[in-house]
Amino acid sequence: MLEAGLWGLAAASALMIGAIVGIAFNLPRRLVSTVMAFGAGALLSAVAFDLTDEAFQRGGTTALAIGLTIGAITFFIGKKLIERYGGKMHARRTASDSRTVIEGNGPAIVLGALLDGIPESVVLGATLLAGKGIGVPFLVAVFLSNLPEAMSGSSDLRHEGHRSRWIIGLWLAVTVASGIAAALGFGILGEMSGTPVAFIQAFAAGAILTMLADTMVPEAYQNAGDSAGLATVLGFALAYLLSTVS
């Protein structure tokens, strides 16, 4: 469990790196969104070739279909609840420039990061169950997706007037929670049979895929333009090549 937790912290450390960069530097939104598109492509590859395929091999069509459906619905409902009770995020154009700003309060942003970060971390810890070491492609995909999320969120929070120490504390909490989730994913799933593990993998795949389609990909395209498509393909290709090497 300790090893799984440490790998979870390693992947989630991108949140801390992104938070520091977002606070310290006023990076162009286009650059951050291009990195986000790259991370989305890497996650798409991990969902397709790691989570979904392994879930099917472990539990068959039924476990895969049910897990995907429930994971997608859970993310959808969770996001709606966050928008309603945690401060709805919305995009606007500033008067001084054409930069798109995502407005929202700190708890809503943290809850949103947890909503897609916890399933990722659980599955990351579960990749150690086969005894072949950590799933490198999935680790890279999670890291690359976390980096721009924290960069963008921290930059927005700073512009809204929140103190740097408060912002860092929020992302630190998410990072620690991700490490704990990875450890629990290894410990709990190690005691289960193939079908429950397949369901959890498919659940995570459904939640992550919904998050990509609903959040990361639209935001990346909105701010990075046509280059988002190229960056997405490059991220997908890198993650897939890593999976073939590993």
Side-chain angles (χ1 to χ4, degrees):
M1 287 183 66
L2 178 60
E3 181 183 0
L6 292 176
W7 280 116
L9 286 175
S13 66
L15 293 172
M16 297 302 301
I17 296 173
I20 294 172
V21 172
I23 292 172
F25 303 99
N26 187 21
L27 296 177
R29 180 71 58 169
R30 184 181 182 88
L31 174 61
V32 175
S33 295
T34 300
V35 177
M36 182 178 293
F38 187 89
L43 265 183
L44 282 170
S45 177
V47 167
F49 297 107
D50 291 334
L51 297 182
T52 305
D53 185 60
E54 286 192 18
F56 177 76
Q57 297 296 330
R58 287 176 181 268
T61 304
T62 302
L64 176 62
I66 295 176
L68 284 171
T69 302
I70 296 179
I73 293 174
T74 300
F75 184 90
F76 176 81
I77 294 175
K79 184 172 181 291
K80 290 297 182 183
L81 290 175
I82 290 172
E83 290 176 349
R84 174 173 294 184
Y85 299 108
K88 186 173 182 179
M89 298 180 187
H90 57 280
R92 65 172 174 85
R93 295 283 180 178
T94 64
S96 58
D97 56 36
S98 59
R99 186 170 61 89
T100 299
V101 177
I102 306 298
E103 296 181 317
N105 61 27
I109 294 175
V110 173
L111 285 174
L114 284 172
L115 202 57
D116 61 90
I118 294 300
E120 292 172 353
S121 299
V122 169
V123 173
L124 182 63
T127 61
L128 289 168
L129 293 175
K132 300 178 182 179
I134 196 69
V136 175
F138 193 68
L139 174 67
V140 172
V142 172
F143 187 94
L144 291 176
S145 65
N146 283 337
L147 187 62
E149 180 180 16
M151 289 169 60
S152 177
S154 297
S155 178
D156 293 335
L157 286 170
R158 183 169 61 86
H159 283 295
E160 291 169 14
H162 295 288
R163 293 184 177 182
S164 298
R165 182 177 298 179
W166 184 82
I167 298 172
I168 293 295
L170 286 176
W171 289 114
L172 179 61
V174 177
T175 301
V176 172
S178 297
I180 294 173
L184 292 176
F186 177 83
I188 295 175
L189 297 185
E191 303 297 326
M192 296 182 179
S193 61
T195 300
V197 174
F199 171 79
I200 293 175
Q201 288 177 316
F203 176 91
I208 294 170
L209 190 58
T210 306
M211 179 271 295
L212 288 171
D214 188 68
T215 304
M216 286 188 70
V217 173
E219 183 176 343
Y221 180 77
Q222 180 182 9
N223 295 299
D226 294 337
S227 61
L230 179 60
T232 301
V233 174
L234 290 175
F236 184 94
L238 175 62
Y240 176 72
L241 290 175
L242 287 174
S243 69
T244 60
V245 172
S246 62

